[in-house]
Amino acid sequence: MKLDARLEAVRAFVPAGGTVADIGTDHGYLAAALVQSGQAERVIASDLNLGPCEAARRTVREANLRESIEVRQGDGLTVLAPGEAQTVCIAGMGGALMTDILAAAPLVMKKLQTLVLQPMNGAYELRHYLYTHSWHVADEALVVADDRIYTVIRAEKGRRKMPDALTLEIGPVLWERKPELLRHHIESLLFGARRAVAGMEKSERAKKSAKYKEAQKRIKALEERLVW
């Protein structure tokens, strides 16, 4: 199963062996690749909606993987029994939605060992949730697909010191290792921050707010992180 660069980066972060749950599986391509590569012994592929589940079942059937991949329709981690999977993958959703999915299933979370997460946005909120719930960022990667930079996070159990807010936004492991795409990543965060400030500057009331001052401070802090 040939994956695009984004899903390949997710696959690369999955520990070998055991059972993996692919939440929001869509067409089931990641699930199939995990089994075909020998990385996962079994995959539970789930999606909230019937259409993606049918597409995933078709992928599984055509790849002759019905003995190794089970497709379930359901909401988030509620498709799993505690201890049924060791690793959970969630890709292509916003960080806030991922946080809600994780928070909604504490008993399942308690038995998991690894989370592989690829947020489309809201990475700060997601990382903050992990650190406040006895998880931490063990590894991170930046990857380009379809002319966009994506962040992939591998989280593991274990309480660690909470990074500062800006490092949580950029990514603690990314900031520590300084990968090739890090400046592009920070520049994309800056673009969004400057656009938000430009919107506030259209209102005199907004320009006098604490939110505006905080946004300006954030821009300055991100600009300082471009130099190392």
Side-chain angles (χ1 to χ4, degrees):
M1 182 63 63
K2 180 70 173 176
L3 301 177
D4 65 11
R6 179 179 65 91
L7 286 181
E8 177 58 29
V10 173
R11 186 202 64 77
F13 268 176
V14 175
T19 299
V20 178
D22 178 22
I23 306 299
T25 192
D26 197 18
H27 284 75
Y29 297 151
L30 175 62
L34 285 168
V35 172
Q36 288 174 332
S37 67
Q39 208 161 344
E41 297 172 9
R42 179 171 177 256
V43 177
I44 300 165
S46 79
D47 208 284
L48 178 62
N49 299 309
L50 178 60
C53 287
E54 290 179 339
R57 290 188 181 104
R58 187 163 53 250
T59 297
V60 171
R61 187 168 58 249
E62 291 173 353
N64 196 26
L65 295 172
R66 280 176 287 190
E67 292 186 2
S68 302
I69 301 175
E70 180 184 353
V71 179
R72 300 177 183 175
Q73 184 178 358
D75 189 3
L77 300 184
T78 63
V79 300
L80 299 174
E84 192 173 18
Q86 292 75 54
T87 300
V88 159
C89 297
I90 312 177
M93 302 182 195
L97 177 56
M98 289 186 180
T99 299
D100 290 343
I101 288 172
L102 301 179
L107 297 180
V108 173
M109 287 287 289
K110 189 175 181 180
K111 296 291 186 177
L112 292 174
Q113 298 172 6
T114 307
L115 301 171
V116 183
L117 309 168
Q118 184 272 298
M120 302 297 282
N121 53 52
Y124 167 83
E125 291 82 356
L126 181 58
R127 293 186 183 102
H128 187 272
Y129 174 85
L130 293 171
Y131 278 91
T132 54
H133 289 79
S134 299
W135 289 77
H136 65 279
V137 177
D139 206 352
E140 295 178 295
L142 295 171
V143 61
V144 175
D146 300 322
D147 298 320
R148 174 174 175 174
I149 295 178
Y150 295 96
T151 301
V152 183
I153 299 167
R154 189 179 80 224
E156 296 177 356
K157 275 188 172 177
R159 189 174 294 276
R160 300 289 188 278
K161 182 181 177 182
M162 174 81 75
D164 64 83
L166 193 66
T167 302
L168 274 180
E169 183 175 10
I170 294 169
V173 176
L174 296 175
W175 180 246
E176 178 185 351
R177 295 183 181 172
K178 309 288 193 302
E180 184 179 351
L181 291 170
L182 183 60
R183 281 193 175 88
H184 295 287
H185 174 54
I186 295 173
E187 285 167 354
S188 69
L189 295 174
L190 267 169
F191 177 80
R194 288 168 177 155
R195 185 170 56 183
V197 165
M200 285 188 278
E201 286 175 344
K202 296 176 182 177
S203 164
E204 288 301 319
R205 182 178 179 181
K207 285 169 65 176
K208 295 176 182 178
S209 68
K211 185 177 180 180
Y212 179 73
K213 292 178 182 177
E214 283 300 315
Q216 286 185 313
K217 286 171 61 177
R218 177 169 167 257
I219 288 173
K220 186 175 184 296
L222 283 169
E223 288 173 340
E224 290 172 353
R225 294 288 185 111
L226 285 171
V227 180
W228 62 77

